[in-house]
Amino acid sequence: MHYISHINVRLLFTMKDKKNYLIFYILLCFSACSTTPFTELNSRDNFHLEDSSNFHVSLNKETLPVEMDPILIENLGEAAKNYLIGIGHKYSSDASLIVEISVDSKEKIRVDDHRFHTYPVYRNYLFEPNRIDTIPEFYLRISIHSQDEDKTLWTGLTKWRKGSSYAPKDMPSAELLVENLLVNL
């Protein structure tokens, strides 16, 4: 009798471990699917935008890098305007609060040392130790600037790479990227 209960406890224990692994795997999948893009935020004196504030949007179209699509920054500006109007603020071309939207690009340098490849030829080129690759990264900065005080009151930064799921390639994805920053306002 004692032997049978010992087997049942052992069987129950192994089933419990399998259940824990299954729960862990499900949580891992959910967390991987619900990640957010890189964000960096800063504010002056814990700034919060007051209800029904008047604002206008400023874009850096004149200093836009050549590889950036000008329609992209216009979509980002429109998305910021729509988001702020949607949460109760008012757009006015002569408002003292300016929502500054700037987009820029930067080349990230990566050393590809091929540690995991043992063949002398890899991807149609000869094996070169310490091969240097560059990866273009794109940055979006949204800042709230007060003309009255001549100060930046709040700023948020995010970045993405070409082909990333966070790239604002159309209006819905631009709205998601802008909302991800402005929700912290």
Side-chain angles (χ1 to χ4, degrees):
M1 184 80 150
H2 176 62
Y3 178 73
I4 293 174
S5 66
H6 181 68
I7 291 175
N8 287 341
V9 169
R10 227 164 116 197
L11 183 62
L12 184 62
F13 182 71
T14 58
M15 288 175 61
K16 184 178 178 185
D17 283 345
K18 288 179 183 178
K19 184 178 178 182
N20 287 342
Y21 285 122
L22 180 64
I23 290 171
F24 174 74
Y25 180 72
I26 290 171
L27 289 175
L28 183 67
C29 288
F30 279 130
S31 68
C33 295
S34 64
T35 59
T36 58
F38 167 83
T39 56
E40 195 174 277
L41 306 168
N42 195 6
S43 68
R44 186 181 303 275
D45 302 323
N46 293 326
F47 172 77
H48 292 287
L49 198 57
E50 296 177 15
D51 292 336
S52 301
S53 297
N54 291 329
F55 71 95
H56 76 274
V57 176
S58 169
L59 307 174
N60 75 328
K61 289 185 353 182
E62 295 80 27
T63 59
L64 195 64
V66 171
E67 63 269 8
M68 296 297 296
D69 183 0
I71 295 172
L72 174 123
I73 194 164
E74 291 171 0
N75 284 347
L76 291 168
E78 193 68 29
K81 178 181 168 185
N82 292 341
Y83 178 79
L84 291 172
I85 289 173
I87 60 172
H89 302 288
K90 297 177 182 128
Y91 180 81
S92 172
S93 60
D94 59 342
S96 64
L97 279 180
I98 304 169
V99 177
E100 297 173 343
I101 298 179
S102 53
V103 178
D104 204 356
S105 67
K106 183 178 178 181
E107 295 288 325
K108 181 178 181 180
I109 298 174
R110 180 181 69 178
V111 176
D112 190 4
D113 58 5
H114 298 285
R115 286 182 285 187
F116 306 108
H117 308 291
T118 58
Y119 298 104
V121 176
Y122 177 70
R123 288 193 190 165
N124 300 329
Y125 56 82
L126 291 175
F127 176 77
E128 299 174 29
N130 298 329
R131 180 186 170 111
I132 296 176
D133 290 333
T134 58
I135 303 167
E137 289 185 333
F138 303 99
Y139 293 86
L140 166 66
R141 178 167 299 277
I142 300 178
S143 300
I144 307 293
H145 183 84
S146 172
Q147 282 184 327
D148 297 339
E149 299 176 34
D150 194 27
K151 292 182 179 179
T152 300
L153 305 173
W154 181 90
T155 186
L157 175 75
T158 188
K159 66 180 178 178
W160 69 92
R161 292 184 181 159
K162 193 171 191 167
S164 168
S165 61
Y166 301 118
K169 53 191 168 278
D170 54 9
M171 194 59 176
S173 58
E175 289 171 347
L176 284 174
L177 194 62
V178 166
E179 182 179 345
N180 184 56
L181 284 177
L182 292 180
V183 75
N184 298 299
L185 185 61

